[in-house]
Amino acid sequence: MPNLNVSLVRAAVTSPFKRAGRPGVTLPADRAVLPAAPIAAAPLASYRRICGSAEPDTLPLTYPHVLGFPLAVRLMTARRFPLPVVGLVHTWIEITRHRPLHPTDLLELTVYAKELTPHRRGTEVTVVTEARLAGELVWESRSGYLSRHATRATVTTGAPAPPPAPSPVAELPAVAEWRLPGDLGRRYGAASGDRNPIHLYPLTARLFGFPRAIAHGMWTVARCLAEAPRPDEVRWVRADFRAPVLLPATVTYAADPTGFQLRGADRVHLTGTTLAPPSPRPGSAAATDGRS
């Protein structure tokens, strides 16, 4: 597994020399691969505790993303990757689980950047993570990362493009209120390995424009999924990160059978949509218990 701290240092060194938005920029065809290997029990246990996961026999839906994240950072901090990693904003993620995964599975991970897409506020790159078991694709994710820079509208008008107006969100029924401690970013960082400075301390977060440390977006997704009635049956999720959660914070978890939200006092931080396997039809083979 590549050293994430080394990759973060490389990002700080190389980012000033990269310019997003240059015409003709393309993505390298590089793929980062981690051969099949056992999943370490202690980090997984720590991850379960911090995210509230209580399914010991299956991997949390988000955990392969954690395993592949160091590969993604190594890929994005490589010299040929066109966008500066410092300042990249994780905007959304889609995860598909093709079959249940277990802590004993020997997963092979592959990460690659798929496409660059123009965005109102810059350029967005899609990063794909795939997990295979004995050659079979069993899990995959697509993540959007936004590199903010001057766009064509900025060049034409001479003024920065205003931020897009957030689309209205219908409030889901409130389920619980969570009080998030100021050290949540450090605790999740220790469990996941993602020690991005914006999540650790107010001082390090201020270096990147945040008044206080912010919660990891992937923690918010994992924590919300852990509250699903049957988290192990969720086979697909789409989550959109709408606003950072400044720590400490009090947030409201809201949900219905098809989705979830994380809300603050005056804004929506996260919205998500989920799908579970369809219920078996009465009388079908899947609906029987195998007894004659």
Side-chain angles (χ1 to χ4, degrees):
M1 179 69 70
N3 188 302
L4 188 54
N5 292 330
V6 172
S7 295
L8 292 175
V9 171
R10 185 166 61 241
V13 172
T14 60
S15 288
F17 300 97
K18 297 183 179 183
R19 293 291 180 267
R22 291 183 289 111
V25 168
T26 59
L27 288 170
D30 301 345
R31 291 183 173 231
V33 178
L34 184 68
I39 296 173
L44 175 57
S46 297
Y47 182 85
R48 289 188 189 280
R49 285 194 297 270
I50 193 66
C51 296
S53 175
E55 285 70 43
D57 296 330
T58 58
L59 281 184
L61 179 63
T62 50
Y63 199 64
H65 177 87
V66 172
L67 296 175
F69 186 67
L71 295 177
V73 174
R74 186 177 70 180
L75 195 73
M76 292 189 289
T77 56
R79 185 166 56 92
R80 294 194 297 166
F81 189 78
L83 304 180
V85 173
V86 173
L88 274 185
V89 179
H90 196 182
T91 51
W92 57 270
I93 186 168
E94 291 182 0
I95 300 175
T96 302
R97 174 165 49 190
H98 298 291
R99 50 157 286 182
L101 301 180
H102 306 282
T104 55
D105 288 339
L106 303 181
L107 298 178
E108 178 188 284
L109 300 173
T110 303
V111 179
Y112 58 94
K114 184 176 181 180
E115 59 186 346
L116 293 171
T117 306
H119 187 279
R120 179 182 177 87
R121 303 189 68 183
T123 300
E124 190 173 75
V125 61
T126 299
V127 177
V128 178
T129 302
E130 298 173 342
R132 287 178 170 79
L133 186 60
E136 175 191 357
L137 181 65
V138 293
W139 182 101
E140 58 186 311
S141 74
R142 298 168 66 249
S143 286
Y145 294 93
L146 173 63
S147 178
R148 291 176 288 193
H149 60 79
T151 63
R152 181 174 299 179
T154 306
V155 174
T156 302
T157 64
S167 56
V169 175
E171 287 196 357
L172 300 180
V175 176
E177 184 177 90
W178 297 339
R179 297 182 184 276
L180 310 183
D183 66 346
L184 176 62
R186 298 193 292 277
R187 292 167 56 199
Y188 179 82
S192 67
D194 182 358
R195 294 183 175 87
N196 188 318
I198 63 176
H199 302 300
L200 303 182
Y201 300 96
L203 177 60
T204 57
R206 282 196 290 269
L207 295 175
F208 298 90
F210 297 98
R212 304 196 302 273
I214 66 174
H216 292 73
M218 287 306 300
W219 177 86
T220 64
V221 176
R223 184 68 185 88
C224 288
L225 287 173
E227 292 296 314
R230 292 293 305 271
D232 56 321
E233 292 187 356
V234 176
R235 60 185 173 90
W236 178 86
V237 63
R238 160 80 187 216
D240 291 274
F241 306 108
R242 300 175 66 90
V245 179
L246 299 175
L247 299 172
T250 299
V251 295
T252 297
Y253 165 70
D256 69 8
T258 62
F260 55 85
Q261 294 173 350
L262 202 63
R263 304 195 296 258
D266 58 353
R267 64 181 62 187
V268 177
H269 298 290
L270 174 74
T271 59
T273 303
T274 59
L275 286 177
S279 300
R281 297 186 305 275
S284 68
T288 65
D289 61 5
R291 292 177 294 181
S292 57

